[in-house]
Amino acid sequence: RLLPLPLPLLLLLGSALGPALGQGLGQTRFICTSVPLDGDVCAASALGTGSAEELKGTVLQLRETVLQQKETIMNQKETIRELTAKLGRCESQSVLEQPGEGKGRKGFSKNTMGDLSRPAAAETLSQLGQTLQSLKTRLENLEQFSRMNSSSQTNNLKDILQNKIDDLEKQVLSRVNSLEEGKLSPRNESEERGKIESTLTSLHQRISDLEKGQKDNRPPDRFQLTFPLRTNYMYAKVKKSLPEMYAFSICMWIKSSASPGMGTPFSYAVPGQANELVLIEWGNNPMEILINDKVAKLPFAINDGKWHHICVTWTTRDGVWEAYQDGTQTGNGENLAPYHPIKPQGVLVLGQEQDTLGGGFDATQAFVGELAHFNVWDRKLSPGEVYGLATCSSKALAGNVIAWAEANIDIYGGATKWTFEACRQLN
């Protein structure tokens, strides 16, 4: 803020600036004289302008004051720009960083439904709708099971859960309408949120209990994992680590129609290297295999919502790799991390890409879809062995490093298990 200057100083400042201003006014010349506050301006015009030294000192002092004021203003403008930018980032985060959504590779948001702005709350409700659809799919799977094992108790429980899901859908729809019409106060919105979250938790528990009843009636490998939403909290963790390996074969059944990119089916991180072994399809890029941060693009075409069997084999000698889809080799190459052994004592995660050992998940890289029969060998499988896996041959081998079994997998964040059907359809 500019400070008020006394009248004599203003007159002297005019005297100093007069020649510069006069250049734009032809031959006009300005003469300024210091006048006391109670003095006669007209009389003072006849007086001398004082000593040249005093005038020069005053002008220099004024110029210094003006420069200081200018510097202060510039600093204030810079501060305002910084504060405006920070405010903009805060506002964008309040809208964009929803539960399970990304924010750059290193972020991690644990909000559930939060006290969000209206657009953000509507987006969260959309995710709730997807979660409800996932629960419906699980119930349909349970219904198929109940038809094969006719039990009145199972059918009655299924009907109760179905009615609860229908009621929840009505609540979500009503809440969306209220948000759009601006009827919900923050207090009412918080109460509604609590009711819906409580009901969802209860539903997950009841359906999980019902699914557990199927385990004794199926082989330990006849299950699949489902990741219905693109989040940073749904994943599965393999209880065993990988040993040091100089070759490997990794095979799995996979199903996804997520776009753009199905995400990360699996990632293996070791201390000091988060990308020791990763399979990822991120954004509009093709699927890639990463070994010690070295990359090979894989010629897979599997993002069509159908079950596909894929295998990747590799050996450290010359970094030779091969890719198989549905039992047929579709690509190969070399120089993929040659002479680098896969390191032991790491963390193997299904469904998320690790930026830190066992964590640092990014929702934009999360796997969305279904995954089953994830097996790992410490050698290259032959084309015949791969074909046997893809055709669900009764002679197909299980991984000698990681074998697909429910006892070997822990699931987190709402990822779900149920019976794997792809091989039954092929047989």
Side-chain angles (χ1 to χ4, degrees):
R1 186 167 63 88
L2 292 174
L3 301 175
L5 298 174
L7 182 58
L9 296 183
L10 287 173
L11 291 173
L12 285 171
L13 181 60
S15 176
L17 300 177
L21 294 173
Q23 292 177 5
L25 300 173
Q27 299 299 320
T28 304
R29 185 177 181 188
F30 296 93
I31 301 176
C32 298
T33 306
S34 175
V35 179
L37 292 176
D38 56 350
D40 185 346
V41 176
C42 295
S45 63
L47 298 176
T49 59
S51 70
E53 289 299 324
E54 290 178 358
L55 289 177
K56 184 176 179 181
T58 303
V59 169
L60 291 175
Q61 182 180 356
L62 285 172
R63 184 176 294 171
E64 182 69 21
T65 300
V66 171
L67 290 175
Q68 289 176 357
Q69 294 283 353
K70 182 178 180 181
E71 183 177 355
T72 300
I73 291 172
M74 294 301 293
N75 290 337
Q76 289 173 342
K77 284 183 178 180
E78 183 63 28
T79 301
I80 290 171
R81 279 196 294 269
E82 290 179 3
L83 291 174
T84 301
K86 289 179 180 179
L87 179 60
R89 287 196 296 271
C90 289
E91 290 175 343
S92 65
Q93 287 173 356
S94 69
V95 174
L96 295 177
E97 289 196 4
Q98 296 306 309
E101 291 193 353
K103 59 283 115 222
R105 289 180 61 86
K106 300 295 180 185
F108 185 67
S109 172
K110 290 189 178 179
N111 272 343
T112 54
M113 290 176 64
D115 291 325
L116 305 171
S117 63
R118 296 198 186 279
E123 174 66 22
T124 302
L125 287 172
S126 174
Q127 290 197 355
L128 269 178
Q130 295 179 57
T131 302
L132 289 173
Q133 185 59 44
S134 168
L135 292 175
K136 276 190 166 184
T137 304
R138 292 168 71 184
L139 277 177
E140 289 171 3
N141 188 75
L142 291 170
E143 188 175 17
Q144 293 176 4
F145 174 76
S146 67
R147 282 200 297 266
M148 294 182 290
N149 303 270
S150 56
S151 164
S152 59
Q153 183 179 2
T154 300
N155 287 329
N156 290 337
L157 184 52
K158 188 270 296 182
D159 291 338
I160 291 172
L161 293 174
Q162 183 65 61
N163 290 334
K164 282 198 172 188
I165 287 181
D166 291 341
D167 291 341
L168 256 183
E169 285 187 313
K170 292 176 183 176
Q171 289 183 46
V172 170
L173 181 60
S174 172
R175 192 158 180 250
V176 170
N177 291 337
S178 298
L179 278 169
E180 291 175 346
E181 296 171 6
K183 292 180 180 178
L184 279 183
S185 66
R187 180 177 179 180
N188 290 337
E189 188 173 341
S190 178
E191 291 175 358
E192 288 291 323
R193 180 179 70 244
K195 291 177 183 177
I196 292 175
E197 287 185 333
S198 176
T199 308
L200 273 176
T201 301
S202 174
L203 273 171
H204 274 297
Q205 186 61 47
R206 296 288 296 278
I207 293 177
S208 295
D209 290 343
L210 190 54
E211 288 170 339
K212 287 177 184 177
Q214 303 178 50
K215 288 186 179 180
D216 295 336
N217 299 288
R218 70 185 183 204
D221 65 342
R222 187 66 63 87
F223 75 102
Q224 67 188 51
L225 298 180
T226 296
F227 306 90
L229 303 175
R230 198 179 292 279
T231 73
N232 60 1
Y233 53 82
M234 285 187 181
Y235 68 101
K237 184 178 177 182
V238 179
K239 294 180 181 180
K240 294 175 59 179
S241 178
L242 298 179
E244 185 172 67
M245 295 191 300
Y246 295 85
F248 67 70
S249 296
I250 299 178
C251 301
M252 72 197 79
W253 283 91
I254 199 167
K255 176 182 177 182
S256 178
S257 57
S259 179
M262 68 175 63
T264 309
F266 77 87
S267 65
Y268 176 67
V270 297
Q273 176 52 280
N275 295 327
E276 181 68 6
L277 180 55
V278 182
L279 183 68
I280 184 170
E281 184 183 76
W282 189 28
N284 294 313
N285 300 311
M287 184 166 280
E288 299 173 335
I289 185 80
L290 281 71
I291 299 177
N292 191 33
D293 264 330
K294 307 302 185 293
V295 181
K297 298 184 184 301
L298 305 178
F300 290 147
I302 54 179
N303 195 349
D304 57 3
K306 299 178 182 179
W307 280 107
H308 293 280
H309 187 265
I310 60 172
C311 276
V312 179
T313 71
W314 171 87
T315 177
T316 187
R317 184 181 176 89
D318 296 326
V320 174
W321 60 269
E322 296 170 346
Y324 294 81
Q325 178 176 327
D326 299 326
T328 302
Q329 187 179 133
T330 57
N332 60 76
E334 56 184 21
N335 291 323
L336 175 58
Y339 304 103
H340 170 83
I342 302 299
K343 296 178 182 176
Q345 306 303 317
V347 177
L348 181 56
V349 167
L350 306 178
Q352 295 282 354
E353 194 273 337
Q354 302 172 68
D355 280 342
T356 59
L357 190 65
F361 304 147
D362 181 347
T364 63
Q365 297 172 327
F367 174 68
V368 180
E370 298 166 79
L371 186 150
H373 284 265
F374 177 87
N375 285 277
V376 181
W377 294 261
D378 58 4
R379 63 180 179 85
K380 290 183 66 174
L381 295 183
S382 69
E385 289 173 323
V386 173
Y387 184 79
L389 291 166
T391 55
C392 299
S393 168
S394 59
K395 297 180 180 180
L397 303 172
N400 69 328
V401 174
I402 301 293
W404 185 247
E406 292 193 65
N408 295 338
I409 306 290
D410 287 328
I411 57 175
Y412 301 90
T416 56
K417 294 179 184 176
W418 63 69
T419 305
F420 176 63
E421 300 293 338
C423 280
R424 179 181 297 177
Q425 295 168 6
L426 287 174
N427 294 329

